[in-house]
Amino acid sequence: MATSQAVESFWLQLTKSRLLTAQEVKAVADELAGEGVDTDALAAKKLVQRGLITRYQADRLLEGRSRGFFFDDYKLLDLLGIGGMGWVYRAQSVSTGQTFALKVLLDQLKQDRGLLARFEQEVRAGQRFKHENIVRTYESGNAGGLPYMIMEFVEGPSLLELLRMRERSRLPWQQACDIARQAANGLHHVHRAGFVHRDIKPQNLLVDHNGLTKILDFGLSMKKDGEDGDEFSMAMIFGHECVGTAAYTSPEQALDSLTADARSDIYSLGCTLFASLTGDTPFPYSRTSEVLKGHQSVIPRHVSDMVPAIPREVGDLVAKMLAKNPADRFASAAEVAHALAPFSKTLPVEFNFSRILAERNRGAEEKLAELQKRQRSASGAASSTAKLTAGSSVASSTTAALPQEANPSAPAGPSVIRRGGFRFEKPPSITMKQKIESVAHSDASSMKAINSGMVLQPFTGGAAIPLVKDPFVIGRRGDCDLQIQDNAVSGRHCELRFDGTAWTLIDLNSRNGTRVNGALIQEHRLKLGDKIIVGPSLALRYTHPAKESAARWATRVRVGLLVVLGLAGLAGLAGLVAAGLWMWGGRG
């Protein structure tokens, strides 16, 4: 094999991986050597360009990994994501060559009876549904003690990903109505089978190039008759009496999801349609408790008032789907689909799926980094100064779900608070890392930033966070200036930049967005007192302690002067009244 020493290890890893046969590896290695390819990175790039391996596979090979590319009878092509229960891959059947989505339970969770029951429930529910608007579940199995399921692979973004591609994060109203109409048709099929999905949201709707919409993820679904009554028992035993996603959950589901029926899914679909039409959720509050209370008691704005181009009739339909009382909503998902039909238009969807896959891989890497950190924390192996990069976490964790690479350490679960019937996670933990460079190495902008005096004050209390450098980065990664331990926050979520007089907040293409005073922003010049919301859960007030104190003192002085003047005015008025009465009495 005519290759340089620099690239020889790469060809060795590729041969051991079994992604190509030894003869295929030798042939392509000799050919690329003749073209002058002398580095492993360039060799990997050439193979990806030729379609011989995927970018996901190339990255793993470059990390020195030769195992973990196969699971049972499937070759793993791409990592589509990682959720609370397991990994999802784009996989190819070795025997048939067909492409599927493969979901496998995390090795660390296979002893968790609650999550194992939920995984098996998702398999059972998914195999029942055969409808064009539902992602099919074809089969399930177990390899090396790990349960998995084989599902239909949809080449397209989720509705959430589609919204992020759009200007102002919203869709043309005809397209938004059509996606909701198709989802309603799928839900009608689910409801007729006696199931309630219980987690309808933009993340769980996939849209392909032709605009065909499909519902996925039946991990929280529940059958409402006695046939699968064990699911109710499972929910009671393992604490699933309140489930779903706060921004999209119905009022009754937030209180007790076991009693929620098909009309609860209609409410969640209404929240999803609201987000598609307006670019925001009905209750875009920073705290989960506020969101859940909003579902209970706050009437959201009419979408036609928010976006005047939307017909009033469409806004009325959304309002009916979002009625607080289930009896005031549409009686069935079929009625929803029928009502939306006149306003719907199926439109082709343009997207770069390779770019979507790259974004999903980045998101998975960030989650993997967090999972690795939790594992080390749980096992006591992590030190206070340990650092994990996304790349290293993938190298050590990507194949952790596979039998030959199993990791027995289970991640620590989120802390949960229960108050007044509501169930929500504790506020995210915040770690401040002040990184002030020496004066000799700071430019003028950084010097002004350090001396600006502005701080971020958490609404939940605690010490103020000084803005000490420019730029000031907020995110979940360990190298951020303000580190937020919350899975809903992106690795590098947003940053603040100083121009010498004021700070500007810039969203860094985060997954859950950055808000100022409730509105989603891409870039916003901050003003004293602005409320910054990072992701769905962290609220910070942009302020200057000295200026705020001076402003409060000035306000007190003004109020005092007004009181004095008011009292003086009243005294004068009283004197005039007394004089008038005296004069009147004298006349009498």
Side-chain angles (χ1 to χ4, degrees), residues 159-177:
L159 176 56
L160 180 63
E161 291 169 327
L162 182 59
L163 288 171
R164 287 175 180 159
M165 298 177 199
R166 304 290 304 189
E167 184 181 1
R168 302 186 186 91
S169 299
R170 64 173 185 254
L171 300 179
W173 60 266
Q174 300 96 328
Q175 185 180 33
C177 289

Side-chain angles (χ1 to χ4, degrees), residues 334-508:
E335 287 188 14
V336 174
H338 180 75
L340 288 171
F343 307 100
S344 301
K345 184 176 181 180
T346 305
L347 298 174
V349 179
E350 297 296 327
F351 55 82
N352 184 325
F353 195 63
S354 295
R355 189 172 299 169
I356 291 173
L357 283 177
E359 287 293 329
R360 289 179 182 176
N361 270 273
R362 276 193 287 272
E365 287 174 4
E366 292 174 359
K367 288 186 177 181
L368 290 171
E370 179 63 25
L371 175 63
Q372 185 76 356
K373 184 180 294 184
R374 288 184 179 184
Q375 290 173 342
R376 294 191 179 186
S377 175
S379 63
S383 68
S384 60
T385 58
K387 281 191 175 182
L388 284 175
T389 63
S392 64
S393 67
V394 170
S396 58
S397 303
T398 297
T399 56
L402 306 183
Q404 67 269 30
E405 305 273 349
N407 186 337
S409 300
S415 300
V416 174
I417 305 173
R418 293 181 182 271
R419 292 177 185 160
F422 295 117
R423 178 180 185 271
F424 52 94
E425 292 185 11
K426 287 183 179 179
S429 61
I430 303 173
T431 303
M432 177 60 195
K433 295 189 175 183
Q434 296 186 6
K435 300 179 179 180
I436 305 176
E437 304 293 339
S438 65
V439 174
H441 293 89
S442 298
D443 57 23
S445 177
S446 294
M447 285 297 295
K448 290 176 181 175
I450 290 171
N451 296 319
S452 71
M454 302 304 297
V455 302
L456 301 177
Q457 178 66 57
F459 273 76
T460 54
I465 302 159
L467 295 173
V468 294
K469 64 184 290 288
D470 177 30
F472 187 92
V473 183
I474 301 174
R476 203 172 71 248
R477 279 176 29 176
D479 59 352
C480 292
D481 303 295
L482 177 58
Q483 186 181 7
I484 312 299
Q485 297 298 326
D486 186 339
N487 285 338
V489 175
S490 297
R492 289 172 59 86
H493 198 98
C494 59
E495 69 179 15
L496 294 98
R497 288 188 173 274
F498 192 66
D499 64 6
T501 57
W503 288 87
T504 296
L505 180 66
I506 303 168
D507 184 77
L508 300 177

Side-chain angles (χ1 to χ4, degrees), residues 2-333:
T3 60
S4 69
Q5 185 175 1
V7 78
E8 188 172 352
S9 61
F10 173 77
W11 297 122
L12 179 60
Q13 295 295 336
L14 181 57
T15 303
K16 292 166 64 177
S17 74
R18 297 186 293 117
L19 292 171
L20 301 176
T21 66
Q23 293 79 6
E24 289 171 332
V25 172
K26 183 179 186 308
V28 72
D30 289 342
E31 183 180 345
L32 293 182
E35 295 178 9
V37 174
D38 59 356
T39 66
D40 50 3
L42 184 55
K45 181 178 180 180
K46 292 286 186 181
L47 291 178
V48 172
Q49 290 173 345
R50 296 186 182 196
L52 296 175
I53 61 175
T54 66
R55 182 173 178 176
Y56 164 81
Q57 294 166 344
D59 288 344
R60 304 304 166 269
L61 290 166
L62 291 173
E63 291 165 356
R65 306 190 72 83
S66 60
R67 302 170 65 191
F69 293 103
F70 293 88
F71 186 83
D72 209 1
D73 185 45
Y74 296 91
K75 181 196 298 185
L76 306 183
L77 304 177
D78 291 291
L79 178 61
L80 298 179
I82 175 173
M85 289 196 297
W87 318 77
V88 184
Y89 296 93
R90 183 167 71 100
Q92 184 181 57
S93 170
V94 174
S95 56
T96 68
Q98 290 180 282
T99 301
F100 300 96
L102 183 153
K103 184 172 184 177
V104 58
L105 186 71
L106 284 168
D107 182 76
Q108 298 90 332
L109 303 179
K110 65 182 180 182
Q111 302 301 325
D112 186 314
R113 293 177 58 208
L115 289 178
L116 184 60
R118 177 177 159 185
F119 191 89
E120 293 171 348
Q121 174 177 299
E122 181 177 0
V123 172
R124 289 197 304 271
Q127 289 179 322
R128 289 174 182 253
F129 306 133
K130 297 177 177 61
H131 191 275
E132 67 172 354
N133 296 121
I134 298 175
V135 173
R136 291 281 305 276
T137 298
Y138 296 112
E139 63 178 355
S140 61
N142 190 297
L146 293 175
Y148 68 89
M149 69 182 84
I150 301 299
M151 301 177 293
E152 174 185 7
F153 174 70
V154 180
E155 185 172 302
S158 69
L159 176 56
L160 180 63
E161 291 169 327
L162 182 59
L163 288 171
R164 287 175 180 159
M165 298 177 199
R166 304 290 304 189
E167 184 181 1
R168 302 186 186 91
S169 299
R170 64 173 185 254
L171 300 179
W173 60 266
Q174 300 96 328
Q175 185 180 33
C177 289
D178 186 66
I179 290 173
R181 177 190 64 81
Q182 294 186 60
N185 281 330
L187 281 176
H188 181 58
H189 181 78
V190 171
H191 297 158
R192 287 185 63 187
F195 282 81
V196 182
H197 187 283
R198 302 198 302 170
D199 200 21
I200 294 295
K201 56 185 177 181
Q203 296 94 312
N204 285 339
L205 299 180
L206 298 179
V207 187
D208 70 9
H209 274 292
N210 297 317
L212 179 63
T213 300
K214 291 178 178 286
I215 303 171
L216 76 155
D217 197 348
F218 287 85
L220 296 182
S221 65
M222 183 168 285
K223 192 165 176 60
K224 300 299 290 181
D225 58 30
E227 182 183 342
D228 281 350
D230 59 323
E231 293 174 5
F232 284 90
S233 300
M234 182 270 291
M236 294 298 291
I237 293 170
F238 296 110
H240 297 167
E241 69 276 12
C242 181
V243 297
T245 302
Y248 303 93
T249 194
S250 68
E252 64 272 21
Q253 184 172 327
L255 293 175
D256 182 6
S257 65
L258 294 179
T259 62
D261 59 21
R263 295 168 297 180
S264 178
D265 284 344
I266 291 173
Y267 183 94
S268 298
L269 183 60
C271 293
T272 300
L273 178 55
F274 187 103
S276 302
L277 291 167
T278 67
D280 211 343
T281 57
F283 308 106
Y285 307 140
S286 60
R287 296 176 64 90
T288 302
S289 57
E290 294 173 345
V291 174
L292 294 176
K293 289 176 183 177
H295 287 301
Q296 299 292 329
S297 58
V298 179
I299 303 300
R301 291 182 61 189
H302 198 281
V303 297
S304 302
D305 293 335
M306 300 175 68
V307 184
I310 299 173
R312 198 77 190 174
E313 297 87 343
V314 172
D316 292 341
L317 289 175
V318 176
K320 186 172 182 178
M321 295 172 75
L322 294 179
K324 304 297 182 188
N325 187 343
D328 295 332
R329 300 173 203 152
F330 291 95
S332 70

Side-chain angles (χ1 to χ4, degrees), residues 501-519:
T501 57
W503 288 87
T504 296
L505 180 66
I506 303 168
D507 184 77
L508 300 177
N509 296 318
S510 63
R511 292 196 305 279
N512 289 313
T514 305
R515 290 181 170 86
V516 176
N517 301 326

